[in-house]
Amino acid sequence: MTPETDAASGAESLRSARQRVSRNAIYNLVGETVPILAALLAIPVLIRSLGTDRFGLLTIVWMVIGYFGLFDFGLGRALTKIVAGKLGAGRPDDVPSLVWTALAIMLALGLIGMAIVAAVSPVLVHRVIKMPAVLQPETLRAFELLAVSIPIVICSAGLRGCLEGMHRFDLVNAVRTPMGVFSFVGPLLVLPFSTSLVAVVLVLLAGRVVTCLVYLSLLFRAFPTVRRSIGVDRSAIRPLFRFGSWMTVSNLASPLMTTFDRFIVGMLLSTQAVAYYATPYDVTAKLLVIPGALAGALFPTFSAEFDSDPTRVRRIFGRSVTHIFLVLFPVTLTIVALAHEGLQLWLGPEFARASTPVLQLLAAGILVNSLAFVPLALVQAVGRPDLAAKLHMVELPLYLAAIYGMIEWRGIEGAAMASVARITVDAIGLFVMAWWLLRFRIPVKLLGGLTVGALLLFGGLSITTVGPIVRILALLLALGGFVIVAWVRLLAPEERMLLVSRVRAALS
């Protein structure tokens, strides 16, 4: 083949990989956002029908089901990484035994988790969770049903990990989207017959069973040799646990760093201060759906192609970070500029006065956190989850000490500052790891210019003493400047050509 043919083939391969990542990211985004819309519609009805106490318990049920994934010790993600790597290396015959080995381990872990939750349920119901005595018997039975669902949830995570390793995000989200909706709609179906929490959890458990069976059926259809070659590979146990154990460290540390701040705020200040702090945090955190969807699609691609084509991985890495910045920077800029007016319109003047600086700080932090999703996916996908886990282990005690002191100094605004500082340190560490693994030069001038420009814009637009009309005009001017910079420096030539052709097609 001639050099020109090789270049054309490489460009076409890169274009195909980008299209696959984009398509899978869209599948993930739909799978994440549709259940949120279902929740907005279902939750008011559930509160009115179940009552505040039962609905509060239902939110605990949803949270517990979401955290059951910790019992798999990261094996679901390990399956995605190893399956993608085997397929990328042209070794599909190794996949069936790997899948059955991991599922057997995950089933055993699920049964252990079931026993633990069943054993501690009476203590949680009668001593830990404060609830009316009349609700304790049905709550205990509901928690026992939750314990039964643990092995099912964990095995479902393993089956989903296999499909993601095969890049079948279409199949994954064809199941995850309706199941996410069912988590909120299922309890509504029970209401005409019963308001018992036991009936609600029983319906959710039935949905989880169906989900697991559907995932298994789709896996057999997508990879028929898994059904025909049932066996256990003992040599795969150690790599699975080595990868999964480090993933578990990150999975434990990250939620602590993202949720423990509100407990410290409540301990040092008041529950009212928790509301002023947690509401802006929850609003801005919704933006993480976008980088989360992209990172999920990038993970198997990085796993499959890091060893075989590192140049392509570098290009996909760089474009992914750029695209997240292009999408979320204008949104963040708008939130910072109009935070006070938005909060006042939504929650009233008192809430706006207390929460505006918190919302502005956390919006900037979420932007930085969004960019860090890509290097985190890379570090974990190439088999070095220990690097990210060690970073999180170092961050956790330092962050807890810092947030305690910052709250004592500046209240909830200090908590937001500590959170942004922790996110920034985490992002810098992950990017340094990613650049070291990929062995490519850091564009210092471009990054430095963008960082300084962003800080100046955020600082200028966050001044609430300036009238809203002036801030809106400044925002429009800043967005116009951003469009120019993005067009000249951030978009690749082929991306500019694609946008021009799309605009022309739309206008015609």
Side-chain angles (χ1 to χ4, degrees):
M1 296 177 67
T2 64
E4 291 80 4
T5 306
D6 288 338
S9 176
E12 181 61 31
S13 180
L14 177 62
R15 189 179 302 111
S16 176
R18 287 178 178 174
Q19 290 173 348
R20 181 181 63 196
V21 170
S22 300
R23 183 173 61 251
N24 291 338
I26 292 172
Y27 287 141
N28 286 341
L29 189 60
V30 172
E32 293 285 350
T33 54
V34 172
I36 293 175
L37 298 177
L40 293 175
L41 297 174
I43 285 176
V45 181
L46 289 171
I47 293 175
R48 289 195 301 268
S49 302
L50 294 176
T52 305
D53 290 317
R54 279 195 177 90
F55 179 77
L57 291 169
L58 179 58
T59 60
I60 294 176
V61 168
W62 284 330
M63 181 191 70
V64 170
I65 290 176
Y67 277 93
F68 277 168
L70 294 177
F71 282 105
D72 79 341
F73 287 92
L75 295 183
R77 205 61 163 162
L79 262 178
T80 301
K81 183 255 183 299
I82 299 176
V83 168
K86 296 288 186 185
L87 296 178
R91 298 167 58 187
D93 293 340
D94 295 345
V95 172
S97 60
L98 171 68
V99 170
W100 289 114
T101 301
L103 290 177
I105 297 172
M106 295 174 82
L107 178 60
L109 293 172
L111 293 173
I112 294 172
M114 179 181 70
I116 293 173
V117 173
V120 303
S121 290
V123 178
L124 291 174
V125 171
H126 295 299
R127 297 183 182 180
V128 178
I129 303 175
K130 295 181 180 180
M131 69 184 78
V134 68
L135 292 180
Q136 289 183 356
E138 73 175 78
T139 304
L140 180 59
R141 291 195 295 272
F143 272 59
E144 291 169 348
L145 287 173
L146 277 179
V148 174
S149 70
I150 293 179
I152 301 166
V153 172
I154 291 178
C155 288
S156 297
L159 295 168
R160 187 180 69 198
C162 295
L163 291 169
E164 289 180 348
M166 300 170 190
H167 302 279
R168 294 309 306 268
F169 288 87
D170 54 339
L171 299 180
V172 169
N173 287 284
V175 179
R176 186 170 65 171
T177 304
M179 187 59 227
V181 173
F182 183 78
S183 296
F184 300 100
V185 175
L188 294 179
L189 302 178
V190 179
L191 295 181
F193 310 99
S194 173
T195 58
S196 170
L197 197 63
V198 176
V200 170
V201 174
L202 191 60
V203 168
L204 295 177
L205 174 59
R208 295 291 171 175
V209 172
V210 171
T211 299
C212 187
L213 294 176
V214 172
Y215 273 139
L216 183 62
S217 174
L218 292 175
L219 177 61
F220 288 162
R221 181 177 299 180
F223 208 106
T225 55
V226 172
R227 178 174 52 188
R228 296 194 295 265
S229 303
I230 299 177
V232 175
D233 181 7
R234 293 184 179 180
S235 64
I237 296 177
R238 188 174 180 180
L240 284 167
F241 270 110
R242 184 170 59 246
F243 185 92
S245 60
W246 286 115
M247 289 290 298
T248 302
V249 172
S250 292
N251 291 341
L252 288 172
S254 294
L256 281 176
M257 288 188 287
T258 55
T259 60
F260 203 71
D261 47 3
R262 60 195 67 189
F263 288 103
I264 301 180
V265 169
M267 181 177 65
L268 296 180
L269 300 177
S270 66
T271 55
Q272 186 181 45
V274 175
Y276 289 147
Y277 177 79
T279 302
Y281 195 106
D282 292 338
V283 169
T284 55
K286 295 293 187 291
L287 296 176
L288 295 177
V289 171
I290 296 172
L294 179 59
L298 289 170
F299 188 90
T301 299
F302 288 157
S303 298
E305 300 189 11
F306 179 74
D307 292 326
S308 60
D309 196 346
T311 300
R312 183 189 301 175
V313 171
R314 292 188 195 104
R315 292 175 179 173
I316 294 175
F317 178 93
R319 300 320 300 162
S320 298
V321 174
T322 301
H323 290 162
I324 291 175
F325 183 77
L326 288 172
V327 172
L328 291 184
F329 183 79
V331 178
T332 307
L333 205 61
T334 304
I335 292 174
V336 170
L338 304 179
H340 185 270
E341 286 72 26
L343 286 172
Q344 184 169 348
L345 183 64
W346 182 32
L347 298 172
E350 181 62 26
F351 219 105
R353 183 192 62 78
S355 297
T356 292
V358 175
L359 178 57
Q360 291 169 332
L361 286 166
L362 292 178
I366 289 297
L367 174 63
V368 176
N369 195 14
S370 299
L371 301 177
F373 270 59
V374 181
L376 178 61
L378 176 86
V379 169
Q380 293 177 340
V382 303
R384 296 304 307 270
D386 59 305
L387 295 177
K390 290 171 184 175
L391 176 63
H392 292 151
M393 290 169 65
V394 172
E395 285 177 16
L396 180 58
L398 296 177
Y399 172 62
L400 295 180
I403 196 170
Y404 188 94
M406 292 296 289
I407 291 174
E408 290 278 12
W409 177 48
R410 293 290 296 271
I412 58 174
E413 190 175 344
M417 291 177 181
S419 179
V420 173
R422 195 273 306 172
I423 288 170
T424 304
V425 170
D426 185 74
I428 292 172
L430 290 171
F431 271 105
V432 169
M433 293 174 190
W435 278 317
W436 173 68
L437 290 168
L438 290 173
R439 301 286 195 272
F440 70 90
R441 187 167 54 87
I442 302 174
V444 177
K445 291 184 178 179
L446 178 60
L447 289 177
L450 289 174
T451 301
V452 172
L455 290 175
L456 291 174
L457 286 173
F458 288 156
L461 293 174
S462 64
I463 301 174
T464 55
T465 54
V466 178
I469 300 299
V470 175
R471 269 184 287 116
I472 291 174
L473 292 175
L475 172 64
L476 294 175
L477 183 63
L479 290 175
F482 172 74
V483 170
I484 295 172
V485 173
W487 185 265
V488 175
R489 295 302 305 269
L490 299 180
L491 288 175
E494 63 270 17
E495 292 170 338
R496 291 197 290 266
M497 292 174 61
L498 178 62
L499 283 174
V500 170
S501 63
R502 293 284 176 85
V503 170
R504 287 175 177 173
L507 291 176
S508 63

